[in-house]
């Protein structure tokens, strides 16, 4: 059995906030204590690491990722810096300058809500700077895209789908079909490179496990099979997969997914005007978005998943979509029994604007919410995209993390990468400094949602905490100031009192230096090593 002893550090453990050493045997934490006692643990240990004062915490879990698309974003055309239509065209021209015709170029990240002029490039604009190059450029929310003529020539079937515009703008069904077809066209060796690049980057960020959100509207069965095959490598983060297909329980089981959920679309996104709302958009009074499922379909899907022994779940953002899905889940719970339903740990992704009625049902049914704090950082507040699309009143209700926490709703944090950057400490900071004050939560609550919450969301209860007997998923951090950050000063005062036994966390916020990852350990095995520890 392999063994690893970490000494001379700071161990983030509720058992002993003053602990400085930790022993790993096999894939489990065997002992936590202090330097003097650590001497007695050295016999037979394969490796001893001097932490030199670094902080050891549970490794992060990213509870909502798209691995292939993340790999594309890391090595493809990055459009997140574009601040105008002309910027997109210029970046595309620079990237494609030396490419021969026939190549497929994958780009991501444009967001017209940050531009002074929201006009989008057209396919003719893209054709003019890269003749014959098939460009597929996704919006930051990955719910719409711009396609060049060469790409449309490769995929003529999408030109008759709802959501296709002759300008090359793809939304709704046209975009879903295009995304799946583009991803299917990637050669196997390139796909493996994309997967490996993304997973290694997760590990370098202190992430030991990710939840992959696959499905026919996201990727393909082949993409998921190859991802799960490559993720058998113990030197990479653990990948737990979902297959988002209505009525797809059997397919999910066959593919090795633990649920037929994740990005099973009940609606789209606010930025693309496709989130399903109960009232029209403030900036487009002619639409309430698009709902993709009925409560009857939801009920049948959940019952099917329960019979197969897997989780059910849906992508829900708009209040009308959430109402419809939660009503269907409540009907399923009535069919199979509330206790059976709750034990299934079924989940919802995003859940940005729940109505009071939906919120109560989510709480009562024990539904896990997988949420993305960086959405609020990017689009929240009175002067950003949410307010523009929805009006200030509705925008202020978005992403109610504190309400979920107070109600005891199981909460897991994720990035939805490549929609937002997989930067877990930044996500913790975004939850602590939510743009709507009443939705803020403590750093401890946010950290728990991004660590133990992610494990609990997939049915693992002995991970995400540094304690003997728990799984050894660890991250080591340097360059940090420790503090307690809580919305209530009384909580802060008690938490810093030694009698509380509260382990401290890095100070997070716009003025705080971000922690630097030194090492990531999955199941007792080092999967990222910066080389800065002896």
């Amino acid at each position: 059995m392999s063994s690893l002893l970490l000494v001379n550090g700071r161990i983030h453990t509720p058992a002993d906030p003053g602990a400085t050493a930790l022993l790993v045997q096999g894939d489990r934490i065997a002992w936590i204590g202090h330097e003097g006692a650590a001497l007695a643990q050295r016999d037979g240990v394969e490796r001893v690491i001097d932490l030199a004062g670094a902080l050891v915490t549970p490794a992060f879990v990213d509870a909502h990722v798209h691995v292939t698309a993340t790999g594309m974003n890391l090595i493809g055309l990055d459009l997140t810096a574009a601040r105008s239509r002309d910027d997109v065209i210029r970046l595309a021209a620079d990237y494609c300058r030396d490419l021969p015709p026939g190549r497929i170029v994958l780009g991501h990240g444009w967001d017209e809500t940050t531009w002074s002029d929201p006009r989008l490039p057209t396919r003719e604009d893209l054709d003019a700077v890269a003749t014959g190059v098939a460009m597929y450029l996704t919006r930051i929310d990955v719910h719409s895209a711009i396609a060049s003529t060469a790409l449309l020539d490769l995929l003529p079937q999408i030109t008759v789908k709802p959501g296709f515009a002759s300008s090359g703008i793809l939304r709704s069904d046209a975009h879903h079909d295009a995304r799946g077809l583009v991803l299917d066209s990637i050669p196997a060796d390139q796909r493996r490179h994309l997967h490996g690049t993304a997973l290694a980057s997760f590990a370098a960020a202190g992430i030991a496990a990710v939840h992959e959100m696959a499905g026919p509207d996201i990727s393909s069965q082949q993409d998921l099979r190859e991802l799960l095959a490559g993720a058998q490598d113990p030197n990479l983060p653990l990948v737990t997969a979902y297959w988002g297909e209505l009525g797809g329980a059997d397919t999910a089981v066959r593919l090795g997914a633990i649920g037929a959920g994740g990005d099973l679309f009940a609606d789209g996104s606010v930025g693309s005007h496709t989130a399903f709302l109960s009232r029209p958009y403030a900036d487009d009074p002619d639409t309430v978005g698009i709902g993709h499922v009925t409560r009857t379909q939801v009920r049948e899907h959940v019952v099917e998943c329960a019979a197969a022994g897997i989780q059910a779940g849906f992508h829900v953002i708009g209040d009308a979509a959430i109402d419809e899905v939660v009503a269907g889940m409540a009907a399923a719970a009535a069919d199979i029994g509330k206790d059976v339903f709750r034990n299934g740990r079924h989940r919802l992704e995003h859940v940005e604007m729940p109505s009071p009625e939906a919120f109560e049902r989510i709480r009562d049914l024990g539904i896990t919410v997988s949420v993305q704090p960086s959405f609020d950082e990017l689009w929240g507040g009175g002067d950003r995209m949410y307010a523009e699309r929805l009006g200030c009143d509705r925008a202020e209700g978005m992403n109610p993390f504190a309400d979920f926490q107070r109600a005891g709703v199981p909460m897991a944090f994720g990035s939805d990468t490549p929609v937002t950057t997989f930067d877990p400490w930044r996500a913790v900071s975004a939850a602590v400094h939510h743009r709507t004050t009443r939705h803020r939560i403590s750093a401890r609550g946010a950290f728990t949602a991004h660590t133990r919450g992610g494990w609990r969301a997939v049915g693992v209860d002995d991970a995400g905490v540094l304690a003997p007997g728990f799984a050894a998923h660890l991250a080591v951090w340097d360059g940090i100031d420790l503090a307690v950050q809580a919305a209530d000063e009384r909580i802060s005062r008690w938490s810093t009192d030694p009698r509380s036994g509260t382990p401290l966390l890095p100070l997070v916020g716009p003025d705080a230096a971000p922690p630097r990852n030194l090492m990531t350990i999955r199941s007792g095995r080092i999967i990222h090593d910066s080389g800065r520890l002896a």
Side-chain angles (χ1 to χ4, degrees), residues 246-247 264-267 276 278 291-304 312 314 316 318-335 341 348 355 357-358 361 365:
L246 197 66
L264 199 173
F265 293 116
D267 66 345
F276 186 31
S278 59
H292 296 299
V293 298
T294 67
R295 63 189 63 191
T296 298
Q297 290 174 314
V298 171
R299 178 184 63 79
E300 292 171 350
H301 180 74
V302 173
V303 170
E304 177 187 358
F314 293 85
V316 286
D319 56 347
I322 298 171
D323 284 345
E324 193 73 9
V325 168
V326 174
M329 286 185 151
D335 287 347
F341 181 94
L348 297 176
S355 67
E357 296 77 16
R361 278 179 159 166
L365 294 172

Side-chain angles (χ1 to χ4, degrees), residues 367-381:
I367 296 169
T368 295
V369 296
S370 169
V371 296
Q372 291 70 45
S374 292
F375 284 8
D376 176 76
E377 181 187 32
L378 282 174
W379 304 313

Side-chain angles (χ1 to χ4, degrees), residues 108-291:
H108 171 75
W110 57 268
D111 181 1
E112 80 286 5
T113 67
T114 65
W115 306 349
S116 58
D117 179 356
R119 289 181 304 150
L120 300 178
T122 65
R123 62 169 167 165
E124 290 80 11
D125 293 327
L126 301 181
D127 296 344
V129 298
T131 303
V133 176
M135 278 186 264
Y136 171 70
L137 311 181
T138 52
R139 190 180 186 278
I140 190 168
D141 59 8
V142 202
H143 282 271
S144 52
I146 308 167
S148 68
T149 299
L151 184 80
L152 297 176
D153 288 344
L154 292 175
L155 312 173
Q157 60 270 55
I158 69 174
T159 62
V160 297
K161 293 284 186 176
F164 171 77
S166 59
S167 63
I169 308 300
L170 309 178
R171 296 187 173 89
S172 188
D173 292 353
H175 178 244
H176 290 163
D177 284 9
R179 180 163 52 188
L181 290 165
V182 167
L183 293 180
D184 272 350
S185 70
I186 299 172
D189 59 340
Q190 183 182 0
R191 192 188 307 275
R192 285 191 296 272
H193 180 52
L194 294 171
H195 293 165
T197 298
L199 291 172
S201 298
F202 291 141
I207 298 167
V210 298
H211 302 176
E212 164 68 10
M213 301 295 159
D217 294 329
I218 294 290
S219 50
S220 68
Q221 293 186 26
Q222 183 61 25
D223 182 74
L224 182 57
R225 277 192 292 265
E226 292 186 17
L227 170 61
L228 292 178
Q232 295 299 310
D233 184 344
N235 296 305
L236 295 172
L238 176 70
V239 177
T240 301
Y242 291 84
W243 178 255
E245 181 178 12
L246 197 66
D250 289 344
T251 302
V253 171
R254 176 170 50 80
L255 291 172
I258 71 163
D263 270 343
L264 199 173
F265 293 116
D267 66 345
S269 74
V270 174
S272 290
H273 290 101
T274 51
F276 186 31
L277 309 181
S278 59
R279 292 184 287 125
Y281 282 83
D283 64 343
D284 189 352
D286 293 329
T287 185
V288 293
I290 304 170

Side-chain angles (χ1 to χ4, degrees), residues 481-529:
D481 294 318
L482 298 185
V484 169
Q485 292 177 273
D488 189 323
E489 286 300 318
R490 295 169 300 174
I491 296 173
S492 292
R493 287 195 298 271
W494 171 245
S495 295
T496 53
D497 188 315
R499 293 172 297 173
S500 71
T502 301
L504 302 182
L505 285 167
L507 184 68
V508 294
D511 298 324
R516 296 190 300 269
N517 180 251
L518 300 178
M519 183 173 287
T520 306
I521 298 171
R522 169 202 161 183
S523 301
R525 189 182 188 97
I526 297 170
I527 61 171
H528 171 74
D529 189 346

Side-chain angles (χ1 to χ4, degrees), residues 23 25 27-32 461-463 465-472:
L23 175 66
Q25 290 184 333
D27 63 355
R28 297 279 146 176
I29 298 169
W31 172 86
I32 296 174
D461 293 324
D462 60 349
V465 175
L466 301 190
F470 274 55

